[in-house]
Amino acid sequence: TLVELLVVIGIIGLLAALLVPAVQQARESGRRMACANKIRQLGLAVQGYESQNGCFPALVVGHGFCTASTRPPSSSFLGKPGTLNTSGFVFLLPFIEQMNLYSTVDLTKPMCGWNEPTLQSSWGVPVPESTLSGNNYKVSMTRLDIFECPTATASSSTYGLPAAYPDPVRFYNYGSCMGRLTNYQMVFNNTDWNVVCDMWRNGQKAQRAMFGEESFCRAAAVRDGLSNVLMIAETNSNGSVQGGQSSGNPWAYFDQTQFGINVKLGINIWGAANRPGFTSARSIPASEHPGGCHFVFGDGSVRFVSENTNFEVLRQLLFIADNLSPVDQLP
């Protein structure tokens, strides 16, 4: 009868309503596992770099951002003056099975030249050729799966998208800088970052993280123990137009609004837009996983850290030699 048919349809609808959330949760569980595996691979790549070179890679080489200083930035450890602005992830390419891509990088030229005019006019620093030409530009426009968390919104931006690169997904553009975004970044301490040139070397040693501008941290310098120090954090990757709000970091370089990950604001601090993948505070640990985000520690272990974690605990886990290592205080 019609009544029986309606009852059956209602039961089927009820069962479907109960099943859909379970399926979605199972899918997210799989995506979260894949996300954790990728950040673990990056942690192993950092360890591989340290084993081969005797120190961890720098967060960034030749950033040229300390415009508030009374002196120009020193030459990078590569011995080249000016703005190179090369992310530490570029140096990890051989350790994530991207040796062919790494072989095309010219380390004497910038990955992004956002601050070149300031450097040239204020201090007469020699400026290499623009990042918008040459192989480095092609490298920064390359999407690499290992840098993309499956859960994160695959945002798009077509502002200034070159005709040679029709794929707008995870595309970032800020003036003379263009590149693909990442959901993972090295953790650093940005205290006085715009005042103290080469802060990792010239700032307070007690406030050193594993990574910084022109950093060369050795495993032996992590006196708190590698298992007690944050190394890489998950973050957002929302695209941006020039002058627009962005929480995303390109994997190959930084501009003046992006510079690694800092835990000073906490985890998953959303901005006024109040939607996943978009924050007013750039460069924070964040994800679209419910309740927190992934961190990989110096020993390569991965933990999903709650967004309710006390800021002081995160801050203490940031420093490599402050004699404080409250890992057991993580929720």
Side-chain angles (χ1 to χ4, degrees):
T1 65
L2 179 60
V3 173
E4 291 173 330
L5 179 61
L6 292 175
V7 170
V8 171
I9 293 175
I11 293 174
I12 294 175
L14 179 61
L15 292 175
L18 294 174
L19 182 62
V20 168
V23 172
Q24 292 176 338
Q25 186 175 5
R27 287 177 176 174
E28 167 54 20
S29 178
R31 290 192 294 262
R32 178 169 155 177
M33 186 178 299
C35 191
N37 184 54
K38 290 183 181 183
I39 197 172
R40 181 180 292 107
Q41 291 179 55
L42 291 174
L44 293 174
V46 171
Q47 292 178 328
Y49 181 96
E50 193 274 338
S51 296
Q52 181 170 308
N53 296 278
C55 66
F56 298 111
L59 172 74
V60 60
V61 173
H63 191 271
F65 59 52
C66 54
T67 56
S69 175
T70 57
R71 67 177 181 85
S74 60
S75 297
S76 76
F77 68 74
L78 294 174
K80 299 295 180 181
T83 305
L84 296 175
N85 205 7
T86 303
S87 164
F89 280 154
V90 172
F91 298 95
L92 293 186
L93 290 176
F95 301 91
I96 56 174
E97 301 180 353
Q98 293 293 333
M99 187 63 196
N100 289 338
L101 184 63
Y102 181 73
S103 65
T104 66
V105 177
D106 187 344
L107 294 176
T108 67
K109 296 175 182 177
M111 298 301 297
C112 170
W114 72 267
N115 205 23
E116 290 176 4
T118 300
L119 291 173
Q120 195 170 36
S121 62
S122 299
W123 298 309
V125 176
V127 177
E129 71 179 36
S130 172
T131 188
L132 297 183
S133 62
N135 288 332
N136 288 357
Y137 174 52
K138 297 176 182 178
V139 171
S140 67
M141 287 293 291
T142 301
R143 287 186 63 190
L144 296 178
D145 181 71
I146 192 172
F147 293 128
E148 300 178 3
C149 175
T151 299
T153 302
S155 58
S156 301
S157 174
T158 57
Y159 176 81
L161 184 66
Y165 299 90
D167 179 12
V169 179
R170 303 188 194 278
F171 168 64
Y172 179 84
N173 174 25
Y174 196 102
S176 63
C177 301
M178 295 183 184
R180 301 296 177 177
L181 299 169
T182 175
N183 289 114
Y184 313 103
Q185 267 299 350
M186 299 171 182
V187 176
F188 85 114
N189 176 26
N190 72 344
T191 304
D192 297 329
W193 67 272
N194 198 37
V195 178
V196 181
C197 289
D198 298 343
M199 186 209 158
W200 195 90
R201 290 182 289 183
N202 301 324
Q204 299 181 35
K205 293 183 179 180
Q207 294 186 351
R208 278 180 176 170
M210 285 184 63
F211 305 98
E213 180 205 10
E214 305 287 347
S215 62
F216 48 89
C217 180
R218 298 177 176 86
V222 187
R223 296 202 300 270
D224 288 351
L226 291 172
S227 62
N228 300 314
V229 176
L230 301 174
M231 181 162 65
I232 297 176
E234 191 175 358
T235 187
N236 302 353
S237 63
N238 199 49
S240 172
V241 297
Q242 185 175 16
Q245 200 172 31
S246 170
S247 58
N249 276 321
W251 70 263
Y253 66 86
F254 301 102
D255 64 29
Q256 71 265 45
T257 61
Q258 278 83 15
F259 192 52
I261 296 299
N262 193 279
V263 299
K264 67 178 182 177
L265 295 177
I267 299 173
N268 288 349
I269 307 299
W270 307 124
N274 196 30
R275 68 177 187 269
F278 193 98
T279 72
S280 58
R282 302 173 177 90
S283 304
I284 64 170
S287 78
E288 295 180 43
H289 310 297
C293 70
H294 293 101
F295 286 86
V296 59
F297 286 74
D299 63 349
S301 62
V302 176
R303 293 188 64 162
F304 187 80
V305 180
S306 170
E307 61 188 24
N308 298 319
T309 301
N310 182 273
F311 155 75
E312 188 62 24
V313 172
L314 289 174
R315 190 182 71 86
Q316 291 171 359
L317 292 174
L318 170 69
F319 302 134
I320 63 176
D322 63 347
N323 297 317
L324 299 171
S325 53
V327 173
D328 57 342
Q329 297 181 33
L330 292 174

